[in-house]
Structure formats: structure tokens, C-alpha cells
Amino acid sequence: MMVILFLFSVLFLVSACDCNSHVVESPSGRWRVEFFFSSTGIPHYRVVDDITERTIVADSRLGHVFSESGISEFDILEGVVHESSSTEWNQPWGENTTIIDAHNRMSVRLRDSLGNGLQIHFKAFDDGVAFRYDYSIHYDTLNVLNELTEFNFLSDGRAWYTPGNFESYELEYLSDSLSNVRSASTPFTFRLEEVYCSIHEAALYNFPEMVLLQKDSLSFVSLLAPYSEATRACVPGTFSTPWRTIQLSDSAVGLINSSMILNLNEPSKIGDCGWIKPHKYIGVWWEMHLGTKEWRDGPRKGATTQEALRYIDFASENNIDGVLFEGWNRGWENWGGSQEFDYAAPAEDFDLELIAEYAKSKGVNLWAHNETGGNIYDYESKMEEAFELYNRLGIHYLKTGYAGGMPDRIFHHSQQGVQHYQKVVELAARYKIALDVHEPIKETGIRRTWPNMMTREGAKGMEWNAWSKGNSSEHLTVLPFTRLLAGPMDYTPGVFDIYFERARGDKNRQQWNGDNSECFIKTTLARQMANWVILYSPLQMACDMIESYQGHPAFEFFRKFNPDCDWSEALQGEVGEYIVVARRSGGSYFVGAGTNSQERTLSLPLDFLDEGVEYLAKIYGDDMNAPIIKQPDGTYAPDKRCYTISQKVVTSADVLEVAMAPDGGQAISFVPIDR
Ligand code: NOJ
Ligand code: CA
């Protein structure tokens, strides 16, 4: 329900512009965006810190290049409209139930000498600024050759990013000076002296993704993923681009606590969202990545009827709401080949009807899994039949995947890719199916408009630990300030068998994706648990095999954990160093803290807890006296398997000392005490 606090508009038209720039300020007056023409009549903008008068984004060009003739420079100003708005809205699920949207808006109406129109809408929030282009051009169809939007800076800063890539986001994060960044995917996070900034986009529909390309040391320009060799986007004559967004904050955690990306998206198009429920899930998944089981039919097949029933039993006994079985369907022998899967036919030893019935009887959500291998044509031709089946069987959660190249040399992140991912979201909504998309297009806040688009991968997730050098604790302390700013991530946290001892002992194990003899999890067990809180996903997985959890004292945390939170706050953190996040679900609170490779102790004031209430804090932490051992890659480190569990009664007046081992963390649950 949307509650309008107040909404007022100040509309005025500027008939002729004799001033140099048009200005919109954020509600508190913190940030200022200025629109102006360069001396040669080219539209530009700049962003200024209104308090210090420091320029954040220096004079930067705006616009696009089209292949059609008959469009000239938009150098005629027709009018400027200002508007202020402050509203509050609720989401069916998310980090916070209630979101405040307070911003000032300035729409600049431009024309070219041939009568084509362009409006540039600027919005200034206290947590950042954004703008989008709204074209009205005398053509039925247009080819966008290039975007000219620049992001220019006056001084160097520190940046955290993955290089721009139109096929994959599953790349190593780099940390470097801004001036050394050649290209970057968004969210592109950097610090300019005391101000933390992150460039991204919001409401990406029917347009290619934007990455940033260095033009010159401190000057970046938008680069759109190609549509074809000749063009980057093919759009109607009247079209709007996604918002270009610049989140701004005085603290690193301020970026995480911002709702600007969601506020730039439209309200939900799904009427009743009661069927879309955040939940915890487990699955037959990790064993395939470790190579002890496989997806395809054969003696090592992971998803069998017997295994499915065992997982459903474990879920229902452990307060876990969902189960996923990869390899449940036919076609896996074509993965990496023709990439043709059957999305409606169960594999040989997978009695889908029986399993669905059994899951229902146990109150557990059965998930479907659709690996497409990137073959979007095949998938589009079959998905409706599959969705009908899932709907009939009461399956409302679907993990999709695009591990493989798309046909016709279509880039994953191109306009065609964006169109495909959106087609799936909308069709899924019609069949009451919520999505977890792997190898996705980046999240740009469309979860507000399509709440069935619940979570996605879109960065190096857990799987990389099984068959590569894996993900460092630095990577995990960069993710919340970069990829996670876009929206929820299905990282699939929670491996308890840190050194893969069970897999190492399995004689039938086969490597399938490179040498995995030196692989292991690069964080402590407590940090694996903390990631359930830190790495927000409304669908949160405990990804290890159930054998690793059975009888394990620390698994109690996941059993009690509730990902359906109504309030969240990133409390402390610096990019790549440490992070502390608190979430409230019902009356309980959960905290996740994590460090990089440095041992660290933080003081954590508990003032986020409800005043006057006593809580039992159960603390799952690193064993700070863990013995040094030789790890599978030959390095020596404190044993990452060692953990401690302690508890104490606390109130909001207390301060906890959070001690974390190198690569470690802490997971804490706070449950109100009934007296
Ligand atoms: C890549 C996904 O990220 C992973 O979760 C999945 O298991 C494989 N593709 C197979 O679909
Ligand atoms: Ca993946």
C-alpha cells in the first residue's frame, strides 16, 4: 500500500534561457545536479556536493548517437519543469518493508532544429542522483550507435570493480586507482576523498546494459552492449533509456543502506503477491560442483527420487522451506553441446509427480531448475509448457541458468538478452512462478515492479570454490559494496565442510571443470554462516550437502534464521575490509559480521535492538585459538573449521566485542526473552 506523505509540484516553464545552468538539489540540499550547454551548445551535467562545494562529477556530456540522418544536436531549450515529492511505499518482501522516496526532480525539455524532442529527467535524492533520457524522434525505429553519457572526475580516487564484460559478471574484483580503471561493469564503486560513489543503472528494459569505458585518465563514457555489428540498440522513435544512477554517501555502508535504485523503478505490476515468499532452501547441488555426483543420467546421478525424498525430509525437520534438485530433468547430456533441454520431462529416476506430492504433504516448496546453456530460442519455445506444468504441480520457485553462449552471437548483456530475461519474468509471473536467475542480466531494481524476480547470481558465487582458486574473504567484503548494491544475490552461502573432506574421500569423484585438488573454502565456518545475513537474498540457500549439517551444532543458526526480514541496516564497514549487517525478522534480529584476511575486533553497539527488551544473543564465532594447519593448497593458516558458540543476555544498551579470525566472521541471533 502506498502512503502519500506529501506531494507538491512547482511547475514553471522557462521560455528562453538566459542563465547558464538549471539546477536541482536533493531534499536536504546535500547534492546538486546542474544541467547546462557547453559553449558549442552540447547538453552537459555536473554533480556538486552542496555543502563543501566540491565537484563530484565534473562537466560531462549527455546524449546518444543514432545512425539515422535527420536528427541534429538537441541544442534548443524549450522548458524546465521542477517537481518535489516525498512518499512512502511498502514492498511485499525486501531488506526493508517500508521505503521512503524523497527527491526533487528537474525535467529539461530540449529540441533539435529538425523538430525532434528530448527530455532529460534528473532526480536528486539525499542518497544520490540519477537521470534518464526520454526521446521523441520522427522515426518508427531507431538504431542507437553509441551513448555519449560521460562521468568525468577532477581528482583520483580508489575504485572496486570488475572489468566491463558483455558476457559475464563472474569475474575477480579489482581494487585500483580510478585513473587505472580501463573499463568497469556496474555497480562501479569508488571513493573520492570522503565521498563514496557508485555508478549503476535503474529500470533496465528493452535496452542494452551499460558499462563504463575509460576515455582518458579520469574520464569515463557509457558503452552499451552491441545489438549487432552495426548497432548497439534498436528502439522505437519514442523511447526512454534506463536511469543512469550515481549513489552518493559519506560512508561506505551508506551506499548499502540506500533505496535509490528501487525508488527509480515503477510500483509492482503483480496484483496479489501473497504467493511470493522469502524462504530458506537446500538442494542437490554442491555435490555436482565438487564432482562426487553429476547432473546427467548415470550411476553418479545426483537428483534421484530417493535423494529427493531424503532432502525433503531434512528440510521439513529443520525449518527449511524449499528444496532444489539440479539434474531433475532431461537433456543434460546436451549441456555444452546443442544446449537443448527438456524442461517438462523428468529424468529417468526422478518421479516428479510423487516428489511434488511428497513435498506438498511435508509443507516444503519444491523448486524447479531450468539450465538453458544460453540457448534462449530453445528455452523460449518450451518455457510456457514447462511453466504450466510447474503451476499444476504447485511449484512456485524456479532457478534458471544460462551457462553457455547465446545463439547468433547474441551477447548475454545485450538488448536481446535483456528482452529475453524480461520475457521470462513476465511469463513466470502469469504462472505464479518466482525466479532465481543464474548468469542473469544485472539487477536494476526491477524487483519492485516484478516482485517475482526475487534473486539472481551475477557475480562470482560459491560454485567457484569447488573448481577454481575460489573466492577470497576480500571478494566477500567487496561484494556488499558493489554487486549487492544492485539487489539481492543468490551467492549460495553456507559450506560447512570447509576442506571438502567428504569429497576428497570419495573414490568416485570426478573433476569436471578443471583441477580441484587444491580447492577449499577460503573463509572460516563462522564466516560462511555470517554470509547468510550479510549477502542479502530473499531466497537463501544452505548450499552444502545435508550430511555436513546433520548433527552439526552450528546449523541451529540456519534453522532459526528467517530471511523474510522487515528491517535491515549495514552498521559498519569499509569496502574490501569488513562489514557488519543487522536484519530484523519479526521480533528477532540477526547480525552477520565479516572481515578480510586481517584478524579484526570490532565494537558493536546493540542500539539497533528494541529498547527495554532483553534478548538472548547466540554468538557463532571464530575460534581465536584455532591451531595452525596445512591447507589443501599447501598454505598454513588457523584451522578454518574451528568455531565457538556462546550466549549471553543483552539489551540495546550493550556493546559486543566482535573478534574475527583472518578470513573470519560472526553470526549472531538475538531472540527476545519471554519473562
Ligand atoms: C551455473 C550456476 O551458477 C550453478 O548454480 C549451476 O549449478 C550450474 N550453472 C548448472 O546449471
Ligand atoms: Ca554461475
Side-chain angles (χ1 to χ4, degrees):
M1 188 185 62
M2 181 197 259
V3 185
I4 309 262
L5 288 182
F6 72 95
L7 175 72
F8 65 88
S9 308
V10 186
L11 306 178
F12 59 89
L13 292 179
V14 182
S15 49
C17 185
D18 51 5
C19 47
N20 286 329
S21 65
H22 295 272
V23 175
V24 60
E25 280 186 338
S26 71
S28 74
R30 178 61 209 267
W31 314 109
R32 185 171 88 226
V33 189
E34 299 177 14
F35 168 85
F36 61 98
F37 290 107
S38 67
S39 55
T40 51
I42 294 170
H44 275 67
Y45 77 103
R46 67 172 80 93
V47 180
V48 180
D49 181 335
D50 234 354
I51 293 177
T52 60
E53 275 304 317
R54 196 177 156 213
T55 300
I56 306 287
V57 181
D59 304 9
S60 296
R61 187 174 179 157
L62 294 161
H64 290 84
V65 184
F66 301 94
S67 71
E68 287 68 23
S69 55
I71 307 168
S72 71
E73 205 59 69
F74 288 91
D75 55 2
I76 303 164
L77 180 67
E78 290 200 317
V80 180
V81 176
H82 285 264
E83 211 173 281
S84 294
S85 161
S86 182
T87 56
E88 211 178 88
W89 57 278
N90 287 342
Q91 40 184 358
W93 57 264
E95 298 92 321
N96 294 287
T97 302
T98 303
I99 308 275
I100 292 173
D101 176 0
H103 66 264
N104 291 326
R105 175 178 179 137
M106 171 173 76
S107 295
V108 177
R109 209 164 70 227
L110 306 173
R111 194 165 51 77
D112 72 357
S113 55
L114 303 166
N116 295 304
L118 164 62
Q119 282 201 65
I120 308 178
H121 305 288
F122 295 91
K123 282 191 178 183
F125 301 79
D126 285 328
D127 49 355
V129 301
F131 56 90
R132 96 184 308 173
Y133 301 88
D134 208 347
Y135 283 99
S136 180
I137 294 181
H138 303 315
Y139 276 94
D140 289 338
T141 337
L142 286 167
N143 287 286
V144 180
L145 292 184
N146 252 321
E147 175 155 334
L148 299 169
T149 309
E150 290 175 348
F151 301 88
N152 297 328
F153 305 100
L154 294 178
S155 59
D156 214 345
R158 187 95 210 144
W160 296 269
Y161 69 104
T162 54
N165 187 306
F166 298 134
E167 284 293 356
S168 177
Y169 303 117
E170 297 185 30
L171 302 169
E172 201 76 34
Y173 272 94
L174 305 172
S175 167
D176 211 332
S177 308
L178 194 53
S179 55
N180 281 336
V181 176
R182 300 290 168 257
S183 73
S185 276
T186 72
F188 172 47
T189 300
F190 51 97
R191 193 182 67 221
L192 293 173
E193 288 173 21
E194 300 82 31
V195 179
Y196 291 81
C197 317
S198 189
I199 297 176
H200 188 45
E201 50 187 316
L204 170 59
Y205 296 103
N206 197 20
F207 209 65
E209 81 154 358
M210 167 187 86
V211 302
L212 301 176
L213 187 69
Q214 189 184 46
K215 273 178 81 179
D216 193 4
S217 108
L218 291 173
S219 173
F220 295 85
V221 65
S222 304
L223 183 68
L224 304 175
Y227 183 86
S228 65
E229 270 177 32
T231 184
R232 297 201 175 254
C234 187
V235 290
T238 299
F239 78 100
S240 301
T241 65
W243 292 91
R244 280 39 187 125
T245 63
I246 309 167
Q247 281 178 257
L248 298 167
S249 174
D250 293 321
S251 66
V253 289
L255 295 176
I256 300 175
N257 295 327
S258 158
S259 300
M260 189 176 86
I261 302 291
L262 283 174
N263 279 329
L264 290 164
N265 278 269
E266 298 295 317
S268 174
K269 287 193 193 288
I270 300 178
D272 171 19
C273 294
W275 54 275
I276 309 171
K277 294 201 176 75
H279 66 248
K280 299 177 285 190
Y281 74 104
I282 52 171
V284 169
W285 177 78
W286 187 227
E287 45 272 66
M288 269 85 86
H289 286 276
L290 289 178
T292 56
K293 292 276 165 56
E294 60 182 348
W295 286 273
R296 60 172 71 194
D297 286 338
R300 296 189 318 120
K301 173 131 185 99
T304 61
T305 301
Q306 203 189 354
E307 200 60 349
L309 302 184
R310 201 168 73 91
Y311 267 71
I312 292 167
D313 283 342
F314 183 83
S316 89
E317 285 154 17
N318 287 278
N319 191 31
I320 293 167
D321 329 74
V323 287
L324 162 80
F325 301 105
E326 293 201 359
W328 73 274
N329 62 325
R330 292 184 191 272
W332 283 87
E333 61 285 358
N334 299 330
W335 191 26
S338 70
Q339 311 280 33
E340 283 172 8
F341 293 78
D342 195 328
Y343 303 103
E348 220 169 71
D349 182 17
F350 197 89
D351 191 335
L352 180 62
E353 304 264 343
L354 181 142
I355 293 164
E357 203 45 52
Y358 191 66
K360 202 183 289 170
S361 76
K362 294 274 177 173
V364 171
N365 285 293
L366 177 61
W367 284 40
H369 177 237
N370 291 172
E371 174 56 67
T372 68
N375 191 347
I376 56 175
Y377 299 153
D378 184 55
Y379 190 45
E380 286 182 13
S381 72
K382 296 172 180 168
M383 62 187 181
E384 184 146 15
E385 184 201 351
F387 292 0
E388 262 167 15
L389 171 72
Y390 306 155
N391 182 284
R392 180 172 66 73
L393 294 175
I395 297 174
H396 294 296
Y397 298 89
L398 167 64
K399 173 177 173 179
T400 58
Y402 297 82
M406 289 187 176
D408 292 344
R409 301 174 67 198
I410 293 174
F411 287 98
H412 274 74
H413 307 163
S414 64
Q415 184 182 4
Q416 298 95 318
V418 171
Q419 286 166 342
H420 167 77
Y421 290 111
Q422 188 58 27
K423 215 179 269 177
V424 180
V425 172
E426 294 185 21
L427 187 70
R430 285 209 341 245
Y431 287 94
K432 288 197 166 27
I433 291 170
L435 294 169
D436 165 10
V437 181
H438 278 232
E439 297 78 40
I441 188 66
K442 60 181 152 185
E443 164 66 317
T444 55
I446 71 155
R447 63 178 161 137
R448 176 177 180 189
T449 316
W450 298 98
N452 67 318
M453 183 54 259
M454 292 187 85
T455 189
R456 41 186 122 195
E457 193 187 32
K460 273 179 91 188
M462 178 63 83
E463 59 180 343
W464 286 80
N465 291 302
W467 32 254
S468 80
K469 165 163 140 283
N471 300 339
S472 64
S473 50
E474 268 78 12
H475 174 78
L476 285 162
T477 26
V478 170
L479 276 181
F481 302 95
T482 52
R483 159 66 186 84
L484 271 287
L485 298 183
M489 175 177 180
D490 188 35
Y491 182 88
T492 69
V495 171
F496 273 21
D497 183 2
I498 300 286
Y499 295 117
F500 307 163
E501 290 163 90
R502 196 166 293 108
R504 271 175 225 290
D506 186 335
K507 290 190 199 62
N508 294 324
R509 184 184 192 193
Q510 281 176 23
Q511 294 176 355
W512 69 281
N513 202 12
D515 176 22
N516 49 25
S517 57
E518 295 195 349
C519 296
F520 65 99
I521 298 294
K522 303 297 186 303
T523 78
T524 64
L525 187 138
R527 176 58 173 285
Q528 287 294 302
M529 300 168 66
N531 286 342
W532 283 320
V533 187
I534 297 171
L535 303 174
Y536 176 69
S537 178
L539 302 172
Q540 193 59 286
M541 187 180 199
C543 77
D544 209 336
M545 280 99 83
I546 56 178
E547 289 78 1
S548 301
Y549 301 135
Q550 272 156 344
H552 199 300
F555 196 61
E556 192 200 343
F557 180 80
F558 192 72
R559 226 177 274 134
K560 298 267 165 68
F561 178 62
N562 181 358
D564 193 3
C565 49
D566 48 43
W567 167 89
S568 301
E569 194 169 319
L571 301 169
Q572 301 180 23
E574 283 297 340
V575 193
E577 295 179 26
Y578 64 97
I579 171 81
V580 186
V581 177
R583 304 196 193 280
R584 182 185 63 213
S585 309
S588 296
Y589 286 80
F590 300 93
V591 163
T595 180
N596 58 6
S597 54
Q598 305 294 311
E599 177 177 329
R600 198 181 300 270
T601 300
L602 301 171
S603 280
L604 178 65
L606 302 182
D607 51 4
F608 57 87
L609 295 173
D610 298 354
E611 223 182 291
V613 178
E614 278 189 336
Y615 294 85
L616 181 65
K618 198 144 188 195
I619 304 165
Y620 302 78
D622 297 324
D623 180 351
M624 303 305 281
N625 298 311
I628 304 289
I629 60 154
K630 187 175 177 188
Q631 306 186 108
D633 63 353
T635 57
Y636 287 83
D639 191 335
K640 294 188 164 54
R641 293 167 295 191
C642 300
Y643 64 94
T644 58
I645 303 179
S646 57
Q647 54 186 44
K648 52 166 89 149
V649 175
V650 297
T651 69
S652 60
D654 289 316
V655 176
L656 284 186
E657 293 294 293
V658 178
M660 300 182 281
D663 307 316
Q666 246 184 44
I668 315 172
S669 59
F670 298 88
V671 178
I673 297 171
D674 281 336
R675 293 233 188 244

